[in-house]
């Protein structure tokens, strides 16, 4: 059995100032670490851009124990076309609902949950219950699937996630029930824009960690199955911090997946709370 750990979801953000407000003041997440880069990422962490960019990790607690959000900001890029690939992230926090009401942030009710939209068009489904303090408030990430049978086979048989619940319209999976889980919904029953998954320009990426020794085995299974590897095993450096080894994949619908070595990532992801001041300074410089 693969000993994987759900880490984060990556968004490309068009408005860093408003995005920071949403995550900090509405959802109530904390800036865990912020990093600035002078050129594009070798593993396309910021998308197909070779320009200056920044990465901000935000969440309800340290990355060792919480599923968080990675916000990548490409300087000079002010808009991304949104596809139908990302459905939403579900969190449990009536406090976020109350903050949205107080602030006047747009919100609607849908299927018993409150829907908030982050700048860029990324949806959050908020359960109106007290935010838990003994576990991560983030419950699941939901993505689109054009073929649930094919999707399930890929994530279960090749990436070795467990199936926790399955219907004819969705499947819920993960490496452990005590982590944030990954859900796929049949796009035919959820969207009016066709039955194919369209990632457009705003496409994201979900990240997991596995022990260093398991990464080559994942790469081997992907190659043997004829599925897509976007970036073969590569070591990424972050100035002044730990290096990590990553492999970037794409599932049958083109959803990008990053597997990072757990040993290196635990060193890289140590909270750096003072770095929030760097984020604030750069936001202020942009006016």
């Amino acid at each position: 059995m693969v000993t994987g750990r759900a880490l984060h979801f990556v968004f490309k953000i068009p408005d860093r100032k408003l995005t920071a407000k949403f995550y900090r003041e509405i959802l109530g997440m904390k800036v865990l670490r912020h990093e600035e880069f002078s050129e594009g990422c070798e593993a396309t962490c910021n998308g197909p851009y070779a320009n200056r960019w920044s990465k901000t990790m935000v969440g309800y607690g340290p990355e060792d124990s919480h599923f968080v959000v990675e916000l990548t900001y490409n300087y000079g890029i002010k808009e991304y076309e949104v596809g139908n690939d990302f459905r939403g992230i579900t969190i449990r926090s009536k406090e976020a609902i109350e903050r949205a009401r107080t602030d006047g942030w747009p919100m609607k009710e849908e299927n018993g949950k409150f829907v908030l939209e982050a700048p860029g068009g990324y949806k959050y489904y908020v359960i109106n219950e007290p935010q838990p303090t003994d576990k991560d408030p983030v419950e699941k990430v939901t993505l689109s699937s054009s073929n649930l049978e094919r999707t399930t086979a890929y994530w279960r048989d090749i990436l070795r996630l467990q199936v926790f619940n399955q219907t004819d319209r969705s499947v819920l999976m993960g490496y452990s029930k005590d982590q944030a889980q990954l859900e796929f919904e049949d796009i035919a029953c959820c969207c009016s824009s066709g039955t194919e998954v369209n990632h457009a320009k705003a496409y994201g990426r979900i990240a997991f960690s596995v022990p260093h020794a398991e990464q080559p085995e994942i790469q081997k299974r992907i190659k043997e199955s004829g599925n897509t590897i976007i970036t073969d095993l590569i070591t990424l450096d972050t100035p002044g911090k730990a290096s990590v080894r990553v492999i970037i994949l794409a599932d049958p619908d083109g959803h990008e997946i990053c597997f990072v070595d757990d040993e290196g990532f635990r060193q890289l992801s140590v909270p750096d709370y003072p770095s929030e001041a760097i984020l604030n300074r750069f936001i202020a410089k942009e006016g």
Side-chain angles (χ1 to χ4, degrees), residues 9 11 82-91 108 110-111 113-118 121-126 140-146 148 169-171 181-194 196-199 202-206 253 255:
F9 195 85
F11 293 113
V82 177
N84 60 13
D85 53 342
F86 175 77
R87 305 296 303 152
I89 291 179
T90 299
I91 64 174
K108 62 181 180 180
E110 185 178 300
N111 297 323
K113 299 183 180 70
F114 288 83
V115 184
L116 297 171
E117 196 169 286
Y122 310 119
K123 288 184 178 180
Y124 281 80
Y125 294 91
V126 187
K140 63 182 177 181
V141 177
T142 304
L143 305 177
S144 296
S145 169
S146 65
L148 277 177
R169 293 190 171 190
S170 67
V171 59
Q181 294 169 17
L182 177 60
E183 181 179 55
F184 286 95
E185 289 183 342
D186 180 359
I187 198 169
C189 74
C190 303
C191 299
S192 58
S193 54
E196 296 299 316
V197 177
N198 173 22
H199 298 276
Y203 65 90
R205 175 184 290 174
I206 192 163
D253 276 316
H255 291 292

